[in-house]
Amino acid sequence: MTLQQLRYIIALDHKRHYTKAAEECFVTQPTLTIQVKKLEEEIGTTIFDRNTIPLTPTPIGKILIAKAKSLLREADEFKEIAYSNTSTLTGQYTLGIIPTIAPYLLPLFLESFLKNNPNTKLVIKEMQTDHVIDALHNGTLDIGIVSTPLEDKMIREINLYQEPFMVYCQDKDVFSSSEIIKQDDLTPDDLLILEEGHCFRNQVLNICKDDEKHKNKAFLFESGSIQTIKNMVKAGLGYTLVPQLSISESFEKKHIKPFALPKPTREVSIVVNKNFTKEKLIENLLVEIKNNIPKQVKEIDNYIKIRWK
C-alpha cells in the first residue's frame, strides 16, 4: 500500500470516472486503474462498485476513502515538520490557478520563484474556481490562486493584492468624454462577457448591474478568453471590463478608461485547505508575487471589492 494509491482512490471518488481522475492526478488512465486494482487486491476488498454509472464507492469503500484523506493529511504534516528545519523549500507541489489570472500573473513571478527555489517543482493547472475548491477539499491540489472571498470554512485565504477593473472600449469617447468613468455610467447594452463558469464574468455583471434579462444588441457573444473579447471590442462590437494586469499600457492605452475612486477591484489570494501545513510554500510564493507585481496594483488603497458570487 502506498500514499500514491490513496491519492488515486480519493481522486476517483471525486471524479467518479477513471480518465478524469487520472487527469486530476497527472498520470495516465491505465496507471491509475492498475494501482487502484492492486490496492483492492492487497486489502482484499472492493473499494468501488464498477457496475454503477457513474462509478460509486462501496459502503466499506466510503469508510476507506475517508480514512485515506485523514492519512494523507497526517503524511503531509509529517513532511512539513521534517522540512521545517531546512532553509530551502523542497518537493513537488500542485498549484491551481484560474484562467483570468494565470496568463497575467504567472509570467511576472514564476521565473523568479523557480530560480530562488531550485529544489521545488510546481505542477500548474488552469482550473475554474469551483474546481480549485473541490480539489483543495479532496487533497488533490496543494495550493490555489483565485479571486476571493470564497466563504468556505474549510479553506484558508492569504490575500495577495487588489486588482482594479478597467473599461476596455474601442475608443475613449465611449460613455463620456471624461478620462475616467463611474460605475453608474455603464449599461448592459453592448457588454461582451466571459462564458458561464468564470468568476470574473460574475464580477463584471455585478459592476454593470446586468441581470441578463434584457439584451438590446443584435447578437450575444460569450468567450472563454479575455483576449478574444478584446479583439471583438477593437472591431467595434461592444465594450468589456478587464483586469488591470491584462493591459499592456504601451499598446492598449487608447482602449482603456479607468474607474473613478473608489475603484472596483477583485481580490486575488492564495488559498489552501485549512489543514495545509506547508507554510514555507505559502511564504515563498507570497514574497515572490508581491515583489514582482506592478506598483499600480501593489499600492492601491481606495477601492470597492467586487464579489464573484
Side-chain angles (χ1 to χ4, degrees):
M1 184 185 303
T2 67
L3 293 177
Q4 191 59 55
Q5 287 173 329
L6 299 185
R7 291 189 178 92
Y8 291 157
I9 65 171
I10 291 171
L12 195 52
D13 177 55
H14 176 225
K15 292 297 186 179
R16 305 294 173 93
H17 188 280
Y18 278 102
T19 301
K20 292 179 180 179
E23 291 174 353
E24 187 170 276
C25 294
F26 305 101
V27 297
T28 63
Q29 181 267 324
T31 296
L32 184 138
T33 302
I34 291 170
Q35 289 303 315
V36 171
K37 188 64 176 176
K38 282 185 177 181
L39 177 59
E40 290 180 323
E41 290 174 352
E42 179 179 348
I43 63 178
T45 191
T46 301
I47 300 174
F48 293 96
D49 183 351
R50 293 161 176 80
N51 295 320
T52 60
I53 300 176
L55 195 73
T56 57
T58 61
I60 187 61
K62 292 179 181 179
I63 297 173
L64 292 172
I65 291 165
K67 187 61 177 177
K69 292 178 181 179
S70 176
L71 288 171
L72 285 177
R73 283 194 294 268
E74 292 180 7
D76 287 341
E77 290 174 7
F78 180 91
K79 288 190 293 183
E80 181 61 24
I81 292 171
Y83 294 151
S84 64
N85 289 323
T86 66
S87 58
T88 59
L89 185 65
T90 304
Q92 176 174 299
Y93 305 96
T94 54
L95 168 67
I97 182 168
I98 61 176
T100 58
I101 293 177
Y104 315 117
L105 180 60
L106 289 176
L108 297 179
F109 81 90
L110 189 56
E111 181 180 3
S112 176
F113 175 85
L114 296 176
K115 180 180 179 181
N116 292 327
N117 298 275
N119 297 318
T120 302
K121 179 180 179 181
L122 286 181
V123 178
I124 303 171
K125 187 173 184 180
E126 282 194 2
M127 308 167 67
Q128 292 186 3
T129 301
D130 288 339
H131 297 158
V132 171
I133 294 172
D134 288 343
L136 290 175
H137 283 170
N138 63 42
T140 57
L141 191 68
D142 290 307
I143 196 162
I145 298 179
V146 301
S147 182
T148 52
L150 301 181
E151 298 179 342
D152 188 313
K153 293 181 180 179
M154 291 299 296
I155 293 180
R156 173 183 165 203
E157 302 174 5
I158 304 96
N159 180 248
L160 290 170
Y161 54 85
Q162 295 290 333
E163 182 176 16
F165 290 86
M166 312 281 279
V167 175
Y168 198 92
C169 44
Q170 187 180 33
D171 60 70
K172 289 191 173 183
D173 290 332
V174 173
F175 300 113
S176 70
S177 59
S178 173
E179 285 294 315
I180 61 174
I181 196 166
K182 299 177 182 178
Q183 280 186 244
D184 291 341
D185 294 333
L186 300 179
T187 68
D189 301 332
D190 299 323
L191 174 64
L192 304 181
I193 55 177
L194 291 175
E195 62 192 7
E196 290 187 9
H198 293 275
C199 60
F200 191 83
R201 167 198 174 98
N202 298 339
Q203 290 169 320
V204 168
L205 295 177
N206 288 339
I207 292 173
C208 297
K209 300 179 175 60
D210 184 6
D211 60 10
E212 296 189 281
K213 292 180 181 178
H214 57 282
K215 297 290 181 186
N216 295 330
K217 54 178 178 263
F219 73 101
L220 176 62
F221 177 79
E222 298 178 357
S223 171
S225 164
I226 289 178
Q227 188 57 51
T228 299
I229 292 179
K230 282 184 180 181
N231 292 338
M232 297 288 283
V233 170
K234 291 175 183 177
L237 295 171
Y239 80 99
T240 192
L241 302 189
V242 296
Q244 184 163 333
L245 290 183
S246 74
I247 298 301
S248 171
E249 293 287 349
S250 57
F251 295 105
E252 299 180 297
K253 187 176 181 179
K254 67 179 181 179
H255 297 294
I256 293 300
K257 296 189 80 165
F259 280 96
L261 297 175
K263 295 182 178 181
T265 66
R266 66 170 175 177
E267 180 180 82
V268 176
S269 301
I270 291 172
V271 292
V272 295
N273 187 289
K274 73 172 187 177
N275 296 314
F276 187 78
T277 57
K278 301 180 181 73
E279 291 299 319
K280 189 68 174 175
L281 176 60
I282 297 174
E283 176 186 335
N284 290 13
L285 278 173
L286 194 65
V287 168
E288 293 295 342
I289 291 173
K290 290 200 170 186
N291 283 346
N292 288 284
I293 57 175
K295 181 179 179 181
Q296 61 266 34
V297 173
K298 191 182 304 184
E299 297 182 353
I300 184 170
D301 56 8
N302 190 353
Y303 59 86
I304 300 174
K305 184 164 57 179
I306 304 298
R307 304 180 71 82
W308 67 276
K309 292 183 179 180

